[in-house]
Amino acid sequence: MEQRTFHVGNIRPPFHAASLLLQITENCTWNKCNFCTLYRGGQFKMRQLDEIKQDIDNAAYYRDLIVERMQNYDLQTVKKMGSGFASKLTRNEQLCYSIILNWIVADGMKTVFLQDANSIVIKKDILCEAVKYLKEKFPTVETVSCYGRADTLARLSSGDFRDLKAAGLNMLHSGYESGCDDVLALLNKGTTRQQQIDAGQRIKEAGITFNMFYMPGCGGRALSRRNAVETAEVANAIDPDFLRIRTFVVKSGAPMWDIAQGPDFEECSDMEKLHEIRTMIEHLDPKLSCYVISDHIINLLPLLEGHVNTDKQKMLDYIDTFLALPERQQREFQISRRMWTNHDYTEMDLIPDQYMQKIRDLVDQTPAGEEWEKLLRQYLRNYI
Ligand code: SF4
């Protein structure tokens, strides 16, 4: 008997932790950024419209089943009814059941993320039809989004973005990483600063919410300042709705790992990356309504966020207060954040004594400089 399942991939932006993930493409069209291993070895594939519609129908089937059960049973019982042999569902069907149940409970069926890495590449009319069908089957959905590479986005006109918005695609995410062409070349990103600006401006003109991602440190020590200043210039030209910070770390297994062993790339220290973020914020036009946000565990300062036009100085002060702390305190916070805590540097007194002791021991035992950076990176690599 045919299974009632839908495709789900692994990667999504943090914003979509509770969203329904619907896979309309597989893997990445480019797959050559030399810091990225997310889709290595995977072949890019566009899924057919009828396959996508079938997935939407199957997701709607579980929605109807679960909503009906929720009217008659408590949540634990509804959960159990979708798992184990008694459910009469295959393993994959049980997974789809639990995904839809979580989506109903955690998100109220409001947001959908269309996977994978560059789904905007699908022919506009097909993408519009898929999104319209999704909205028809799930009238509760308010936000539909996907990732798009800057070069692909730049091929779309303002009219294309308006059509996509009218169909229901009202949010886009793009890993710009840097607004500096030399850094983009170093990363083998395959995009340019001009493509970023053209795409971002058209997306904004169409009224689509735009998330621009920036990677402090990705140009290494030599290009750190230009990475900050030129990324701020791109943001100034677009005024994205969100400027999301994703601190750069060289990942083993990525081509950048080998480059970083040679003379052409010197990785910034943890504190240098923070200085770079400060420089970037300093160069943002104070008239931007853009919201800067540090919403990833890989960033050092978790509470760094705010609207540029109202909170720019507050964000700079927050960084400066940390930079003015005694080095010992900075190091204690750095290692606690890199090891496991989600605390801010102002909340160190919340850390239990036994953990604090371990933190102090590590600071005592690890000399500042290369040894210290090695230790921090070792922990940081767990997050990428
Ligand atoms: S475009 Fe994104 S997913 Fe594709 S290789 Fe580059 S960073 Fe990785």
Side-chain angles (χ1 to χ4, degrees):
M1 202 174 75
E2 203 186 320
Q3 290 196 31
R4 268 186 201 275
T5 57
F6 49 87
H7 281 223
V8 182
N10 295 323
I11 314 295
R12 48 124 184 103
F15 172 84
H16 290 286
S19 306
L20 173 65
L21 308 178
L22 197 64
Q23 195 164 34
I24 64 167
T25 63
E26 291 172 22
N27 303 304
C28 175
T29 48
W30 176 249
N31 226 346
K32 289 186 232 168
C33 298
N34 59 22
F35 59 90
C36 172
T37 56
L38 290 178
Y39 301 98
R40 287 282 146 142
Q43 193 71 30
F44 178 77
K45 186 181 160 208
M46 287 198 210
R47 300 194 62 228
Q48 299 298 312
L49 183 60
D50 56 352
E51 291 177 313
I52 298 169
K53 284 185 171 177
Q54 185 62 60
D55 277 9
I56 295 169
D57 287 342
N58 287 344
Y61 166 80
Y62 289 112
R63 183 264 325 270
D64 294 343
L65 182 69
I66 292 165
V67 167
E68 195 199 322
R69 287 177 175 178
M70 285 174 94
Q71 285 160 3
N72 298 304
Y73 303 96
D74 62 65
L75 188 57
Q76 280 313 317
T77 310
V78 176
K79 231 181 231 180
K80 276 194 201 140
M81 290 167 103
S83 63
F85 290 121
S87 72
K88 299 204 174 93
L89 300 176
T90 63
R91 290 291 290 268
N92 284 342
E93 287 173 330
Q94 288 177 39
L95 182 66
C96 292
Y97 181 99
S98 80
I99 287 170
I100 297 297
L101 177 58
N102 285 337
W103 186 42
I104 293 171
V105 174
D107 185 55
M109 294 185 284
K110 289 198 169 72
T111 54
V112 178
F113 177 71
L114 307 175
Q115 296 172 306
D116 267 329
N118 193 24
S119 287
I120 199 73
V121 78
I122 285 191
K123 236 168 145 224
K124 184 200 74 181
D125 292 343
I126 293 178
L127 186 51
C128 284
E129 201 175 328
V131 176
K132 275 187 201 154
Y133 192 73
L134 172 71
K135 298 266 295 182
E136 205 180 288
K137 292 282 169 172
F138 290 96
T140 52
V141 169
E142 293 170 1
T143 304
V144 182
S145 82
C146 70
Y147 276 130
R149 282 175 46 80
D151 59 338
T152 312
L153 291 166
R155 288 201 288 270
L156 299 180
S157 67
S158 304
D160 290 334
F161 286 120
R162 278 196 295 275
D163 291 346
L164 288 163
K165 169 86 191 295
L169 187 85
N170 53 0
M171 183 182 279
L172 283 164
H173 306 265
S174 192
Y176 277 15
E177 332 302 6
S178 171
C180 170
D181 278 332
D182 287 339
V183 176
L184 292 170
L186 174 75
L187 299 175
N188 198 30
K189 186 75 200 174
T191 58
T192 66
R193 163 192 176 84
Q194 195 55 53
Q195 288 170 334
Q196 295 175 346
I197 293 172
D198 292 346
Q201 288 179 341
R202 287 180 211 142
I203 292 166
K204 286 284 295 178
E205 271 164 35
I208 295 177
T209 302
F210 185 48
N211 294 274
M212 165 177 162
F213 290 76
Y214 157 56
M215 286 201 316
C218 67
R221 201 165 271 154
L223 291 170
S224 178
R225 186 171 170 81
R226 284 187 59 202
N227 197 32
V229 175
E230 295 177 35
T231 300
E233 286 168 2
V234 168
N236 290 343
I238 298 170
D239 196 3
D241 296 274
F242 295 92
L243 180 50
R244 297 185 184 271
I245 298 169
R246 296 287 177 273
T247 303
F248 178 76
V249 184
V250 179
K251 186 173 181 167
S252 66
M256 199 70 191
W257 180 268
D258 295 327
I259 296 171
Q261 310 308 312
D264 297 331
F265 187 87
E266 221 184 326
E267 191 165 357
C268 295
S269 71
D270 208 31
M271 294 296 276
E272 284 169 333
K273 291 173 193 169
L274 181 61
H275 279 280
E276 185 184 307
I277 294 170
R278 194 198 181 287
T279 306
M280 192 280 296
I281 294 175
E282 196 188 343
H283 283 78
L284 289 174
D285 181 337
K287 293 195 284 303
L288 296 190
S289 57
C290 161
Y291 196 81
V292 175
I293 183 160
S294 171
D295 58 340
H296 198 289
I297 185 74
I298 208 157
N299 302 324
L300 183 60
L301 300 186
L303 302 183
L304 180 66
E305 63 180 79
H307 286 285
V308 180
N309 54 7
T310 51
D311 305 318
K312 179 172 168 173
Q313 194 53 51
K314 203 176 85 192
M315 288 189 274
L316 292 173
D317 291 346
Y318 170 64
I319 296 174
D320 290 343
T321 307
F322 178 70
L323 293 174
L325 289 178
E327 192 189 344
R328 168 92 199 183
Q329 252 172 282
Q330 290 177 345
R331 294 179 75 203
E332 286 180 359
F333 171 69
Q334 274 180 290
I335 196 68
S336 74
R337 174 84 174 145
R338 279 20 187 135
M339 279 167 71
W340 38 258
T341 73
N342 203 15
H343 292 101
D344 180 51
Y345 67 83
T346 55
E347 303 166 329
M348 291 291 282
D349 52 344
L350 298 176
I351 297 178
D353 285 348
Q354 74 270 27
Y355 293 127
M356 215 41 231
Q357 194 48 53
K358 183 161 171 46
I359 288 166
R360 291 195 190 103
D361 290 347
L362 276 170
V363 173
D364 288 337
Q365 290 157 12
T366 318
E370 207 32 53
E371 280 295 298
W372 179 247
E373 296 306 320
K374 247 192 191 156
L375 181 69
L376 296 175
R377 283 174 200 146
Q378 182 188 311
Y379 286 111
L380 273 167
R381 286 194 188 102
N382 296 326
Y383 304 132
I384 52 174

